[in-house]
Amino acid sequence: MTDTKSPARGTSRPATSKLWLIGLICAALLKFSTWPNHRYALCSEEGSIYTVAPDKPTVQCLVVKGSFIESTGEIQIRVNSPLYAMTTYLPWTSRLLNPWYLKVVKLKAGSAVIPGMADAHAHILEYGFKMELQLDGAPSTQDVVARIQKYIDSRPDVHKNTSTWIQGMGWDQTRWPGAQFPTSDDLSDPLLEGRPIALRRVDGHALWVSSRVLEMMGELPTEVDGGLIIRDANGKPTGIFVDNAMTLVPIPPWSEKDMDNYFTTAMTDALAHGLTSIHDADSQPEAIAFFKKQSEAGNLPIRAYLMGNVLSDEYWGAQIPRLINHGAHGRLNVRAIKLFTDGRSPFPFLADISHSYPLGALGSWGAALLEPYSDNPSTSGLMRSSKSALGKLVNQFYEDGFQVNIHCIGDRANNAVLDIFEDIIMDSADPDNVTASWRPRIEHAQIMTMQDLERIGRIGVIASVQPTHATSDMSYAETRLGPERIKGAYAYQMLLQNSKIGVLPLGSDFPVEGINPLLGFYAAVSRLSVDGTSPHGEGGWFPNERLTRAQALKGMTLDAAYAAFAEDERGSLEVGKKADFVILDRDIMKVPADKILSTKVQATVIDGQVAYGAL
């Protein structure tokens, strides 16, 4: 019988143990290399990384470490790495051997990197709402009805329940035959009969309702302060409510589920279009609480700068919390409030309040002008509150340390607000310090006298503008304003040149305009519609007011950051700043203007992490 000996103790186990130990070490090194302080380099041999930094506007490479930009420079920053050859040819091995492994991402030819884009004036939840039933581009009332029919047919629960409110946004009567306001009778289709329907105009300043809504409202007041009920020749309401008259319409509040859905839609689309920061230009306390909850749960994927608002002429600062870099990722800020002068329209989406949704008002003759409209001499627009009442509020908010941002469309509104701001700034011992520490803003700054165009820059008030408003309004703006007054409207280059601080933050006012920030970039540099036309030809509408591409890029990055007190931490690709950037599949700073809108976002990066697409 052959004697079979058992393996000597320890003869085979050491090999297994060593393999196990090596695996453990490898796993640890791999884990360590993905910790928050991981590093990677992004490089472009074409030098198409646009930093918006004055001393180094373009670079070939930038290195990201954790959430921040560690360095920028020429291609040598990676070539000089002692591990460059190893990371190029043996990336897996080098990562195991070196936990400080530097991954190098080489940009494709023709692509570009820009700082994360910001929208300096938008409405986040309202965007999600609008996407439910979009009426943009509808060529007639019949087309609007067809879209509502499709909406009802696609939702069995809505189809069965005729008491469900149907809401949409985007109609524009100026694009219809005759350019007349619609009426409730235009919503008399059998499928629509008996349903409460409320449809907001593209600028948010008029509400078109069905006959069922008029029945629900009962007897209406003869006049509405700061608003208008359109009536026919017999004095009967037609179904159109303008500005403050919209508060009369009993639209139900949004539910928590509604807000969640709208928020998700807005965040998804924002990231897909390269937005890393949004200034929400009218946040009620309830909306602020919603964003606060999302930020604390780590569910805020972008940076949100909220402007608090309460629908009251009595001081309401105590209702707005102060939040600085709040939440799990420090992406929520609340330190500004929003006030309104002309053309104001409510958007009731929260219980027991009428939420103001103030947007461009020229299309519905709501902008407050110093002289009557050229095409409607019977009106000079609407001022929501008196100058004295507004001044009292502004002074109180200033004393309490809030940035004050005020909606102004018409020259009368802009003039009144500049008077208020100038009194505060120039009465101080150190005017320059007031403008630097307070940073008051005029939202829209759309129509100004030549004197006020000079004054806004001289006293240091920030003009926050939306370039797509110019190209959206250019078909009728001169008819509304006349040949002289139009020279001070949508004057973006003049506003920038007059600004003593050299900033002009750009936004879109979505959902009035599209959420894609490149729409604004294109409008700013071309002054053309998306089809390449304008009332002044292919050279653009009032082409002297075009921005250069460098000015436009700065306006949607660093200038927007300045307007939110964040220029030291983001807005440009500089060492020590947040690693927020966007990779585009083409170089918008070089391609022909008609190619800009074909640009696609390849990746949106926030805090050094990919939030959309891939590196």
Side-chain angles (χ1 to χ4, degrees):
M1 182 175 180
T2 305
D3 184 16
T4 57
K5 297 182 180 179
S6 298
R9 183 173 296 178
T11 57
S12 62
R13 290 184 180 177
T16 303
S17 298
K18 289 177 182 177
L19 289 174
W20 178 85
L21 181 59
I22 292 172
L24 181 62
I25 293 173
C26 291
L29 289 173
L30 286 170
K31 177 66 176 177
F32 182 73
S33 68
T34 60
W35 281 4
N37 284 328
H38 70 285
R39 297 168 70 241
Y40 61 90
L42 195 64
C43 294
S44 164
E45 293 182 357
E46 299 170 333
S48 56
I49 297 178
Y50 295 89
T51 67
V52 193
D55 60 332
K56 196 187 295 185
T58 61
V59 296
Q60 290 182 312
C61 288
L62 65 85
V63 175
V64 174
K65 181 178 181 182
S67 300
F68 299 91
I69 296 172
E70 183 181 49
S71 63
T72 64
E74 302 311 306
I75 208 79
Q76 285 78 12
I77 65 170
R78 65 185 174 104
V79 173
N80 289 341
S81 169
L83 292 176
Y84 173 61
M86 189 177 292
T87 58
T88 301
Y89 299 108
L90 298 171
W92 184 82
T93 305
S94 65
R95 191 167 185 176
L96 288 179
L97 297 176
N98 179 24
W100 291 273
Y101 159 75
L102 179 66
K103 176 183 178 181
V104 176
V105 179
K106 183 180 179 181
L107 292 181
K108 295 180 180 179
S111 61
V113 175
I114 61 175
M117 290 183 281
D119 193 312
H121 184 113
H123 304 271
I124 297 172
L125 297 178
E126 289 84 348
Y127 172 84
F129 160 84
K130 182 184 178 182
M131 296 303 287
E132 295 284 300
L133 174 55
Q134 299 179 67
L135 304 178
D136 301 81
S140 64
T141 57
Q142 293 81 5
D143 186 75
V144 171
V145 169
R147 296 189 192 196
I148 298 173
Q149 291 172 331
K150 184 177 180 180
Y151 174 86
I152 294 172
D153 287 336
S154 65
R155 291 165 172 78
D157 55 332
V158 176
H159 195 284
K160 295 177 183 178
N161 188 354
T162 58
S163 65
T164 299
W165 277 76
I166 296 173
Q167 299 184 64
M169 182 179 176
W171 60 270
D172 183 357
Q173 86 284 358
T174 67
R175 302 181 185 278
W176 299 345
Q180 299 297 310
F181 272 129
T183 70
S184 58
D185 291 340
D186 292 316
L187 299 174
S188 58
D189 179 85
L191 183 60
L192 278 57
E193 194 70 34
R195 296 178 184 271
I197 303 172
L199 309 174
R200 289 163 185 79
R201 191 181 182 279
V202 63
D203 64 0
H205 281 268
L207 191 63
W208 170 20
V209 304
S210 63
S211 298
R212 175 64 186 127
V213 174
L214 291 176
E215 293 172 4
M216 295 168 64
M217 295 174 70
E219 186 175 351
L220 298 172
T222 303
E223 295 183 355
V224 178
D225 186 25
L228 182 65
I229 301 172
I230 304 295
R231 300 175 185 272
D232 62 18
N234 298 318
K236 179 183 176 182
T238 64
I240 295 293
F241 296 82
V242 179
D243 290 316
N244 280 1
M246 296 172 65
T247 58
L248 302 172
V249 182
I251 298 176
W254 289 348
S255 67
E256 183 78 15
K257 181 179 179 181
D258 288 333
M259 287 192 283
D260 278 334
N261 290 338
Y262 302 157
F263 174 79
T264 299
T265 297
M267 294 298 98
T268 300
D269 289 358
L271 289 170
H273 287 100
L275 284 170
T276 60
S277 175
I278 298 175
H279 301 192
D280 192 82
D282 184 7
S283 300
Q284 298 285 328
E286 293 83 355
I288 294 173
F290 174 83
F291 278 95
K292 184 173 181 288
K293 178 181 177 181
Q294 299 302 317
S295 70
E296 291 173 350
N299 295 331
L300 190 57
I302 65 169
R303 305 188 192 282
Y305 187 78
L306 310 185
M307 306 177 201
N309 175 257
V310 173
L311 186 60
S312 174
D313 286 334
E314 298 297 324
Y315 184 70
W316 38 265
Q319 299 183 51
I320 306 300
R322 311 293 184 95
L323 303 173
I324 305 297
N325 295 334
H326 183 80
H329 302 111
R331 294 174 182 168
L332 179 63
N333 279 275
V334 183
R335 60 184 301 174
I337 58 93
K338 181 78 177 293
L339 298 175
F340 307 93
T341 51
D342 56 349
R344 176 184 176 95
S345 49
F347 199 122
F349 76 103
L350 295 169
D352 303 321
I353 66 169
S354 290
H355 172 66
S356 279
Y357 188 38
L359 306 165
L362 189 66
S364 51
W365 296 277
L369 302 180
L370 292 167
E371 300 293 337
Y373 279 85
S374 298
D375 64 341
N376 188 0
S378 65
T379 182
S380 297
L382 301 168
M383 283 288 283
R384 184 199 171 272
S385 60
S386 69
K387 181 178 176 180
S388 60
L390 186 64
K392 182 179 179 180
L393 277 176
V394 173
N395 274 271
Q396 186 62 62
F397 281 115
Y398 168 69
E399 291 295 331
D400 283 356
F402 283 100
Q403 181 190 40
V404 177
N405 306 337
I406 307 182
H407 164 105
C408 299
I409 301 293
D411 53 12
R412 180 183 172 191
N414 280 288
N415 181 266
V417 168
L418 284 176
D419 283 347
I420 295 169
F421 281 156
E422 185 172 27
D423 285 344
I424 294 174
I425 294 169
M426 302 313 292
D427 285 349
S428 68
D430 188 350
D432 288 341
N433 182 61
V434 170
T435 56
S437 60
W438 186 27
R439 303 188 188 184
R441 294 167 52 166
I442 287 184
E443 303 298 317
H444 307 304
Q446 199 160 299
I447 305 160
M448 288 188 175
T449 64
M450 290 299 171
Q451 293 79 7
D452 282 340
L453 280 169
E454 181 277 332
R455 179 166 60 145
I456 187 174
R458 171 170 47 83
I459 65 177
V461 172
I462 297 170
S464 171
V465 302
Q466 301 76 44
T468 46
H469 282 348
T471 52
S472 291
D473 295 355
M474 64 185 176
S475 63
Y476 60 83
E478 189 166 354
T479 301
R480 290 277 195 277
L481 300 175
E484 289 304 315
R485 194 162 40 187
I486 193 65
K487 295 176 182 178
Y490 315 93
Y492 304 142
Q493 187 61 247
M494 199 179 308
L495 282 167
L496 180 57
Q497 292 304 316
N498 288 346
S499 172
K500 72 176 183 180
I501 53 178
V503 300
L504 187 72
L506 306 183
S508 69
D509 211 1
F510 72 68
V512 174
E513 307 286 357
I515 197 171
N516 182 359
L518 293 184
L519 288 166
F521 182 86
Y522 168 79
V525 303
S526 72
R527 304 279 287 198
L528 295 169
S529 65
V530 294
D531 64 2
T533 63
S534 84
H536 294 168
E538 295 180 358
W541 188 56
F542 292 101
N544 55 306
E545 294 300 337
R546 291 180 302 195
L547 300 179
T548 68
R549 298 195 195 198
Q551 289 171 339
L553 182 61
K554 181 171 176 282
M556 59 201 299
T557 54
L558 189 57
D559 288 356
Y562 179 89
F565 300 88
E567 73 278 10
D568 290 334
E569 67 176 51
R570 61 178 184 270
S572 59
L573 302 179
E574 299 180 80
V575 175
K577 287 193 174 185
K578 291 285 189 177
D580 293 2
F581 59 86
V582 180
I583 303 178
L584 304 173
D585 70 346
R586 64 186 61 187
D587 190 340
I588 61 171
M589 306 300 284
K590 295 179 181 177
V591 297
D594 61 359
K595 303 297 182 183
I596 291 172
L597 294 180
S598 300
T599 304
K600 303 298 181 184
V601 172
Q602 293 182 328
T604 302
V605 177
I606 301 179
D607 282 327
Q609 301 290 327
V610 175
Y612 170 82
L615 295 180

